[in-house]
Amino acid sequence: MPSDPLPSEAALRERQDLLVRELAVEQNSVRLQVLSDELEAIQRQLEQRRHP
């Protein structure tokens, strides 16, 4: 089974923006942690692309 292609930088940045907006209004602490973890993972991917 082939692996899924990596998302483009534009797609990562779009998801990053969405997560930041969701974090700004989320009240549930469990959901906040999930969003925060995903945002951190996306930021790591973007950083790796800048400094391969």
Side-chain angles (χ1 to χ4, degrees):
M1 182 183 299
S3 63
D4 292 333
L6 293 175
S8 68
E9 183 171 344
L12 287 172
R13 291 195 179 283
E14 184 177 325
R15 182 65 182 152
Q16 179 183 33
D17 290 345
L18 177 63
L19 287 167
V20 168
R21 287 193 299 273
E22 287 184 34
L23 280 164
V25 297
E26 184 60 59
Q27 299 296 312
N28 181 293
S29 61
V30 173
R31 180 80 174 129
L32 280 168
Q33 188 60 55
V34 169
L35 293 170
S36 179
D37 290 348
E38 185 179 353
L39 180 59
E40 185 178 331
I42 287 173
Q43 289 172 329
R44 277 195 308 270
Q45 288 180 29
L46 288 168
E47 183 65 26
Q48 288 172 353
R49 289 174 187 227
R50 278 182 246 147
H51 305 286

